[in-house]
């Protein structure tokens, strides 16, 4: 504290004080901020590998030998600053001049927070006026020349306007005629894409026609906004402007200086392939790219986009606004052009500030680095993390689950149960490794751990290590396979086409002996899972039945709520999710075996689909029972189901039956599953293949296994979710007993239930403390953005989103029926509308009182995304072809934008 008190003494005397100190305690940092006038905290951050490289005194060398003593950052935890005014990564490409500039900018900020004082302030005006004012000030971009005029000017003397355009040095070439209405680009209502702009116009007649078209789009305002509490009268003051047309650009797109949910990120959605300037704003096509970069890490931006980031930062300074929307283009000669800038309407709810986000992501990067080190009990030289491989949390609990959902998922599946199942089924023993890691509340699968768990027991260590490294390298080379790793990357069971599939390994350094070793191990494992009355899947099916028998005993026992919750979850693990994990593995093997029938020519694709249609799952039985059973009987059987299995805020079927089902209209009877029969020739061929591949099962038993594997997985989930759903209902009741709302309960960690079961103490105090901590932590989680695959610490700060990653707009959730844009417009009210693209031409849908919408194409920066954010309409932009078609087939969906999840309700 001596340094701190000396700094305060000097600062109080009016001096400018700079103190370079280790400052390693939060207590000191807090005292400084509370007691030193004008205090600014600059955190010089250096990763451990760089510290080792600089280690001239040998302080860190002991870490490699395992004999480190009292070294901060190794065996003594380092207390990194909680809320620094600036974080500088003091290594790598950062040069002294850049570092000094950033430190001075941080010191110039008002009260230690907010934007730095700009050299000159520019007020937002109309689109054309803002560009005109900025043009002479910008250092990082050019603004195209313009001819600007009002609607009144055009109406009073159109010839004069056309002459002015023709007289411009560029007026005889191709031009763009653009809107600049007074109602456009306002702080909370940009009207993005609402008014027309006409591209590629040549000749006075065509220019005149384009101007009339733009003016006509202004005229739509009065009628469309009348029902929204707004009114924009047709006015002669609205503007139009004409600029030279940019053709054959290298890159064009839109940059945000905040993420759509308000996080401190630069978000650049761009097109670098078409040569056009409007594909991003129109949301047209599926080749668009999205790059995100933490604002405190601009140096992580790739070189082609670095000028864009520099322009955005320059505009933030001129406009004294840290949330702006910038349209840009880079010409073929490398010249950057500013096409438009406007304020960005973002959601800033929650207490998490930019500094907290920076600190949290630094923690995540550190965790990635620690978990990526070689481990004595793991094969593979590096680690990667993903939201979709293996027990894909993104699909099951979402990418930002509330604490109760996340903690229950870990408790029931990913902490231990998953590894017990793999070990039981003959894979490597990973029982002490959690599968899921939480990066400040964002759930990720440790893919190295997952890939290790799919190595059959008995495979030599050398081969196992090379396999895991091959799997990781393949996923990094083809990240779009992150939700298909078990089908496309790893070898986890024996199938009839395995020799063909393993041929890929031969091209990556694996010998025939290696392939033979792996093939034998997979055959042994698969036989043990499938074969005979002692087959592992049969044992698991019996255990699931035991859970169904034990469930009433817990529900009817004379025990308190906490004990009932605890034992419902304990039984659910032992007799529910553990056998469910086994049956899910059997179901996966069954699907792969069926697919191999198609690959080797036993079936064709149509016959494979017919076989799958003949499988009688719980899902197909729900449809039949809804048509046949009285409402009370149906809910007694299926009432425990929730669209969000682990989400306490997702109502059970029996809690909101009218939300999920239409009981008023006639219920057409669902057809029974069609029968599927193999021909004699198919049976004989399968029999020959089984003998050829040394699979110890006859053909009829194999068909039984395939059907039972697929059906058993769904049945097991149906049974274990009854216990889980009942536990969630009891947690809600427990919360109500002690003054907590259901939403409060969603922020609990399941650990509090275990503690209350095993310890005495105040139940209310424990619940309130857990919920308060979970709510605060989740407020930060909601502001974090990470890529779906994290392969290195640097990926935490800057990354491209894969093309198939949808963009969720707003933090709202809505459950509603589905409609398509081709349906009668009068049917849109209250529905989730499916629209092919994020083209601004679809702006009229906002007059139809839609509940939400999904687009097949489009980016986070498209016009429709901006409008959805402004109007507070939940939306999924750019779902991609597969998800768009899948969701569109549903009758009712839940768009959970906070959790970035879409649930099929019916």
């Amino acid at each position: 504290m001596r340094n701190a008190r000396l700094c305060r003494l000097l600062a109080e005397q009016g001096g400018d004080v700079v103190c370079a100190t280790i400052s390693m305690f939060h207590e000191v940092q807090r005292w400084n901020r509370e007691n030193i006038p004008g205090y600014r905290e600059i955190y010089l951050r250096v990763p451990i590998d760089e510290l080792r490289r600089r280690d001239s005194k040998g302080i860190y060398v002991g870490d490699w030998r395992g004999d480190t003593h009292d070294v901060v950052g190794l065996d003594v935890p380092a207390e990194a600053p909680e809320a620094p005014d600036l974080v500088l990564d003091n290594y790598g490409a950062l040069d002294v001049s850049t570092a000094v500039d950033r430190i001075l900018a941080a010191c110039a900020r008002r009260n230690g927070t907010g934007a730095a004082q700009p050299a000159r302030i520019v007020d937002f005006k109309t689109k054309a006026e803002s560009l005109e004012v900025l043009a002479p000030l910008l250092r990082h971009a050019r603004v195209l020349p313009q001819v600007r005029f009002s609607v009144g000017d055009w109406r009073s003397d159109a010839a004069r306007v056309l002459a002015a355009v023709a007289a411009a040095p560029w007026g005889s070439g191709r031009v763009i005629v653009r809107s600049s209405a007074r109602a456009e680009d306002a702080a909370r209502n940009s009207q993005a894409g609402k008014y027309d702009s006409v591209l590629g116009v040549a000749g006075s007649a065509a220019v005149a026609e384009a101007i009339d078209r733009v003016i006509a789009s202004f005229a739509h305002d009065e009628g469309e906004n009348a029902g929204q509490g707004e009114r924009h009268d047709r006015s002669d003051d609205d503007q139009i402007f004409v600029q030279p047309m940019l053709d054959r650009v290298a890159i064009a797109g839109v940059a945000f200086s905040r993420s759509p949910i308000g996080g401190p990120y630069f978000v650049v959605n761009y097109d670098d392939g078409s040569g056009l300037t409007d594909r991003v704003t129109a949301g047209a096509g599926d080749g668009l790219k999205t790059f995100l970069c933490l604002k405190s890490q601009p140096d992580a931006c790739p070189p082609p986009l670095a000028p864009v980031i520099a322009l955005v930062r320059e505009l933030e300074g001129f406009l004294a606004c840290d949330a702006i929307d910038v349209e840009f283009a880079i010409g073929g000669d490398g010249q950057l052009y500013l096409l438009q800038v406007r304020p960005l309407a973002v959601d800033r709810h929650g207490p998490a500030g930019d500094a907290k986000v920076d600190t949290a992501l630094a923690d995540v990067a550190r965790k990635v680095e620690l978990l990526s080190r070689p481990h004595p009990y793991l094969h593979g030289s590096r680690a990667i993390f993903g939201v979709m491989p293996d027990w894909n949390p993104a699909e099951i609990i979402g990418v930002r689950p509330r604490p109760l959902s996340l903690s229950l998922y870990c408790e029931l599946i990913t902490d231990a149960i998953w590894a017990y199942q793999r070990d039981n089924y003959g894979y490597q023993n990973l029982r002490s490794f959690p599968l899921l890691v939480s990066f400040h509340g964002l759930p990720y699968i440790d893919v190295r751990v997952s890939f290790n768990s799919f190595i059959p027991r008995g495979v030599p260590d050398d081969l196992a290590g090379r396999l895991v490294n091959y799997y990781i390298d393949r996923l990094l080379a083809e990240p779009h396979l992150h939700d298909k790793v078990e089908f496309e990357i790893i070898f986890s069971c024996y199938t009839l086409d395995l020799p063909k599939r393993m041929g890929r390994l031969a091209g990556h350094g694996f010998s025939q002996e290696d392939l033979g070793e792996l093939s034998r191990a997979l055959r042994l494992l698969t036989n043990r899972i499938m074969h005979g009355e002692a087959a592992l899947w049969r044992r698991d099916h019996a255990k699931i039945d035991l859970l169904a028998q034990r469930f009433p005993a817990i529900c009817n026992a004379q025990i308190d709520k906490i004990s009932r919750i605890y034992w419902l979850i304990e039984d659910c693990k032992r007799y529910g999710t553990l056998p469910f994990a086994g049956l899910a593995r059997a179901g996966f093997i069954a699907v792969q075996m069926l697919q191999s029938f198609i690959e080797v020519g036993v079936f064709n694709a149509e016959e494979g689909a017919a076989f799958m249609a003949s499988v009688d799952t719980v899902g197909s039985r729900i449809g039949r029972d809804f048509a046949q059973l009285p409402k009370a009987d149906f809910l007694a059987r299926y009432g425990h189901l929730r669209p969000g299995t682990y989400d306490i805020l997702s109502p059970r079927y029996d809690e909101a039956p009218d939300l999920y089902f239409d009981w008023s209209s006639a219920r057409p009877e669902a057809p029974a599953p069609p029968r599927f029969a193999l021909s004699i020739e198919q049976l004989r061929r399968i029999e020959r293949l089984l003998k050829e591949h040394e699979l110890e099962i006859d053909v009829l038993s194999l068909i039984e296994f395939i059907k039972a594997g697929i059906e058993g997985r769904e049945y097991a989930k149906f049974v274990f979710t009854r216990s889980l759903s009942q536990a969630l209902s009891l947690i809600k009741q427990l919360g109500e007993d002690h003054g907590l709302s259901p939403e409060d309960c969603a922020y609990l960690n399941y650990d509090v239930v275990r503690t209350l079961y095993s310890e005495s103490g105040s139940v209310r105090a424990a619940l309130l403390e857990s919920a308060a901590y979970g709510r605060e932590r989740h407020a930060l989680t909601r502001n974090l953005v990470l890529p779906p695959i994290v392969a290195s610490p640097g990926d935490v700060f800057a990354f491209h989103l894969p093309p198939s990653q949808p963009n969720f707009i707003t933090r709202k959730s809505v459950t509603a029926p589905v409609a398509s844009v081709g349906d009668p417009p009068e049917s849109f009210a209250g529905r989730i509308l499916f629209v092919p693209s994020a083209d601004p031409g679809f702006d009229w849908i906002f007059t139809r009182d839609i509940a939400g919408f999904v687009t097949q194409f489009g980016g986070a920066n498209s016009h429709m995304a901006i409008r959805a954010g402004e109007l507070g309409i939940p939306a999924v932009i750019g779902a991609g072809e597969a998800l768009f078609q899948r969701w569109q087939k549903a009758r009712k969906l839940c768009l959970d934008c906070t959790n970035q999840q879409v649930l099929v309700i019916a």
Side-chain angles (χ1 to χ4, degrees):
M1 294 292 292
R2 284 181 298 178
N3 286 340
R5 289 190 171 92
L6 177 60
C7 288
R8 180 176 68 173
L9 176 65
L10 295 174
E12 286 175 343
Q13 297 175 24
D16 292 326
V17 185
V18 178
C19 181
T21 176
I22 295 175
S23 190
M24 53 190 274
F25 300 112
H26 290 159
E27 178 185 1
V28 175
Q29 297 157 12
R30 292 167 188 155
W31 189 94
N32 292 344
R33 196 170 293 281
E34 292 169 2
N35 292 278
I36 300 176
Y39 177 73
R40 304 290 187 273
E41 189 172 278
I42 312 299
Y43 176 27
L44 302 183
R45 183 170 57 196
V46 182
I48 193 70
D49 290 342
E50 179 66 14
L51 291 175
R52 290 196 185 99
R53 191 185 68 80
R54 300 177 185 176
D55 187 14
S56 60
K57 298 181 180 180
I59 295 173
Y60 297 95
V61 71
D63 184 35
W64 297 107
R65 299 195 301 261
D67 59 356
T68 300
H69 298 291
D70 301 326
V71 177
V72 174
L74 296 181
D75 61 326
V76 177
E79 295 187 7
E82 296 174 301
D85 296 280
L86 176 66
V87 179
L88 283 178
D89 283 312
N90 192 28
Y91 65 99
L94 182 67
D95 60 83
V96 173
S97 176
T98 300
V100 169
D101 287 344
R102 294 177 63 187
I103 291 172
L104 291 176
C107 292
R109 292 175 186 161
R110 298 183 295 269
N111 302 320
T113 60
Q117 290 281 8
R120 179 172 179 177
I121 301 293
V122 174
D123 292 328
F124 284 105
K125 302 177 183 296
T126 66
K127 184 191 305 181
E129 290 168 347
S130 293
L131 289 173
E132 183 179 66
V133 173
L134 287 165
L137 305 177
L138 294 178
R139 293 186 298 112
H140 292 97
R142 288 176 55 191
V143 175
L144 293 167
Q146 61 172 272
V147 172
R148 184 177 74 249
F149 50 92
S150 68
V151 173
D153 292 336
W154 175 253
R155 288 172 175 161
S156 62
D157 195 344
R160 183 168 174 271
V161 170
L162 292 174
V165 173
W170 40 267
S172 60
R174 282 161 41 89
V175 301
I176 177 172
V177 179
R178 306 180 66 187
S179 65
S180 186
R182 296 291 177 185
E184 251 181 308
D185 297 353
R188 300 300 302 177
N189 192 14
S190 73
Q191 303 289 352
K194 187 172 183 64
Y195 307 117
D196 284 349
S197 289
V198 186
L199 287 69
V201 182
S204 293
V207 170
E209 184 179 342
I211 292 170
D212 286 336
R213 176 176 161 184
V214 174
I215 293 174
S217 70
F218 297 159
H220 296 162
D221 267 4
E222 184 174 353
E224 291 187 1
N225 289 332
Q228 302 179 28
E230 300 178 16
R231 183 180 179 87
H232 171 63
D233 295 328
R234 297 170 63 175
S235 171
D236 282 354
D237 291 336
D238 283 332
Q239 298 171 347
I240 302 96
F241 66 117
V242 182
Q243 292 179 293
M245 184 70 192
L246 277 177
D247 288 313
R248 295 184 294 279
V249 299
I251 301 176
V254 177
F256 288 174
S257 66
R258 289 265 161 187
S259 73
I261 58 174
Y265 294 87
F266 295 116
V267 183
V268 185
N269 192 207
Y270 66 99
D271 165 28
D272 61 358
S274 73
L276 305 175
T277 59
D278 64 336
R279 290 183 77 239
V280 170
T281 54
D286 57 356
L288 307 180
K289 299 177 181 178
T290 301
F291 174 75
L292 286 89
C293 177
L294 193 64
K295 294 186 76 169
S296 63
Q297 303 283 333
D299 296 336
C301 184
L305 297 180
V308 178
I309 299 301
L311 169 63
V312 173
R313 297 177 72 185
E314 184 181 23
L315 290 168
E316 283 184 315
F318 283 131
L319 297 163
C321 179
D322 69 348
I324 56 175
D325 166 4
V326 177
E327 293 184 21
F328 67 90
I330 300 177
D333 59 356
Q335 175 62 54
L336 175 62
Y337 294 91
L338 172 64
L339 304 182
Q340 182 171 340
V341 59
R342 56 185 164 217
L344 179 66
V346 294
D347 184 355
R348 293 176 183 261
H349 294 167
D354 292 2
K356 289 185 177 181
V357 172
D358 285 352
T359 301
L361 290 179
D363 292 340
V364 173
R366 170 68 172 164
K367 192 64 176 177
V368 169
E369 190 272 326
L370 291 172
L371 291 175
S372 298
R373 296 177 181 180
H375 194 286
Y377 305 140
L378 282 176
H379 301 294
S381 58
R382 63 178 300 178
I384 56 174
F385 306 88
V387 298
M388 285 300 293
D390 209 338
W391 283 94
N392 43 6
E395 179 179 342
I396 299 172
I397 57 174
V399 298
R400 292 185 181 86
R402 294 178 182 87
L404 183 60
S405 297
L406 176 58
S407 59
L408 278 170
Y409 190 58
C410 293
E411 179 76 15
L412 289 172
I413 302 287
T414 63
D415 277 353
I417 293 300
W418 77 280
Y420 275 66
Q421 177 274 314
R422 301 270 163 89
D423 184 30
N424 290 343
Y425 269 51
Y427 297 97
Q428 297 276 341
N429 183 353
L430 277 294
R431 290 194 179 203
S432 296
F433 288 92
L435 180 65
L436 184 149
V437 293
S438 171
F439 293 141
H440 270 277
L442 305 178
Y444 275 74
I445 296 299
D446 187 330
V447 179
R448 177 171 59 170
V449 170
S450 170
F451 286 169
N452 270 261
S453 76
F454 285 117
I455 302 294
R457 191 183 304 132
V459 168
D461 286 348
D462 173 69
L463 175 56
R466 286 185 287 125
L467 279 170
V468 171
N469 282 330
Y470 163 77
Y471 295 155
I472 291 174
D473 291 343
R474 175 96 189 275
L475 179 56
L476 290 175
E478 301 179 76
H480 60 281
L481 299 178
H482 71 137
D483 59 342
K484 310 172 186 68
V485 293
E486 293 184 61
F487 288 98
E488 301 289 346
I489 294 179
I490 66 175
F491 303 97
S492 63
C493 63
Y494 195 99
T495 57
L496 301 179
D497 64 338
L498 181 66
K500 177 183 176 182
R501 291 192 296 119
M502 287 176 59
R504 188 180 185 110
L505 291 175
H508 289 81
F510 291 86
S511 67
Q512 288 303 311
E513 291 76 12
D514 293 333
L515 303 188
E517 188 83 47
L518 178 60
S519 181
R520 286 188 293 273
L522 290 172
R523 184 185 296 111
L524 178 65
L525 176 149
T526 305
N527 279 330
R528 185 165 173 260
I529 294 171
M530 295 192 309
H531 178 56
E533 292 302 315
L536 294 173
W537 71 271
R538 295 184 190 275
R539 288 173 19 195
D540 281 335
H541 201 290
K543 195 176 288 187
I544 279 286
D545 290 337
L546 186 57
L547 176 65
Q549 297 169 23
R550 292 172 65 93
F551 176 76
I554 298 177
C555 291
N556 298 327
Q558 298 300 308
I559 55 178
D560 62 282
K561 282 192 181 78
I562 293 171
S563 297
R564 203 183 313 278
I565 295 165
Y566 176 82
W567 281 108
L568 280 168
I569 295 300
E570 286 300 304
D571 261 20
C572 190
K573 288 191 293 185
R574 187 174 296 110
Y575 303 105
T577 54
L578 179 57
F580 164 68
L583 289 167
R585 173 102 319 257
F588 171 78
I589 294 172
V591 171
Q592 274 217 314
M593 189 66 72
L594 181 65
Q595 185 64 34
S596 75
F597 285 176
I598 298 173
E599 293 298 323
V600 300
V602 174
F603 286 176
N604 57 36
E606 290 75 18
E607 288 171 316
F611 181 94
M612 289 297 294
S614 73
V615 175
D616 190 17
T617 65
V618 171
S620 60
R621 288 197 294 275
I622 288 177
R624 296 199 303 275
D625 286 347
F626 178 66
Q628 297 171 358
L629 294 178
K631 180 178 180 179
D633 293 346
F634 178 84
L635 293 176
R637 184 174 298 177
Y638 299 106
H640 69 279
L641 297 177
R642 304 171 185 261
T645 303
Y646 294 81
D647 186 1
I648 197 170
L649 299 180
S650 178
R652 294 162 51 118
Y653 281 5
D654 56 12
E655 290 175 342
D658 296 334
L659 173 66
Y660 300 120
F661 302 100
D662 182 2
W663 308 92
S664 60
S665 57
R667 290 177 260 166
E669 184 151 348
R675 291 188 70 255
F676 178 85
L678 291 166
S679 68
I680 296 297
E681 178 54 35
Q682 286 174 320
L683 289 169
R684 288 173 177 168
R685 185 168 182 199
I686 294 173
E687 193 73 53
R688 289 194 301 270
L689 288 168
L690 293 176
K691 291 179 180 177
E692 176 185 328
H693 289 270
E694 301 178 37
L695 292 174
E696 299 169 357
I697 190 170
D698 62 78
V699 61
L700 295 180
S701 297
L702 177 61
I703 298 302
E704 178 197 12
F705 165 76
I706 294 175
K707 296 194 74 168
I710 298 169
E711 295 170 355
R713 173 178 53 191
E714 300 304 314
Y715 170 72
K717 183 176 181 180
F718 175 75
V719 174
F720 94 72
T721 54
R722 186 181 297 275
S723 296
L724 172 57
S725 187
Q726 185 65 19
L728 288 170
S729 295
L730 288 170
I731 291 172
K732 183 163 67 172
Q733 293 175 23
L734 180 68
E736 291 170 352
D737 293 344
H738 295 277
L740 278 74
S741 68
E743 184 177 359
D744 292 333
C745 292
Y747 295 103
L748 295 171
N749 189 299
Y750 179 71
D751 286 345
V752 73
V753 173
R754 191 186 300 106
T755 300
L756 288 170
Y757 177 76
S758 60
E759 299 178 7
S760 61
S762 168
V763 174
R764 174 178 167 80
L767 293 176
L768 288 174
E769 181 182 2
S770 180
Y773 178 78
R775 187 183 291 274
E776 180 181 2
R777 190 168 178 84
H778 194 255
L780 177 58
T781 301
R782 289 167 59 178
N783 284 276
L784 304 181
V785 183
L786 291 177
I789 293 179
V790 177
S792 70
D795 290 345
V796 171
F797 304 113
F799 53 88
H800 275 88
L801 286 179
S804 61
Q805 183 83 356
N807 301 281
F808 289 81
I809 311 300
T810 78
R811 287 173 167 169
K812 295 183 178 181
S813 176
V814 64
T815 299
V818 168
S820 295
V821 74
D823 297 335
E826 57 268 24
S827 69
F828 290 175
R831 294 177 178 266
I832 295 170
L833 188 63
F834 276 71
V835 185
S837 73
D839 190 286
F842 287 107
D843 194 85
W844 59 272
I845 67 174
F846 299 124
T847 68
R848 292 293 179 171
D849 197 25
I850 60 174
F853 68 98
V854 179
T855 73
Q856 181 170 344
F857 301 117
N861 311 76
S862 65
H863 286 306
M864 294 284 272
I866 296 169
R867 293 286 281 142
E870 291 168 351
L871 298 173
I873 297 176
V876 180
I877 304 294
E881 182 177 359
L883 289 175
F884 186 89
Q885 292 181 355
R886 183 194 311 169
W887 295 336
Q888 193 176 25
K889 293 175 183 176
R891 290 189 295 107
K892 183 176 286 188
L893 290 177
C894 172
L895 302 188
D896 183 356
C897 293
T898 293
N899 211 18
Q900 296 200 0
Q901 192 175 21
V902 177
L903 299 172
V904 176
I905 304 301

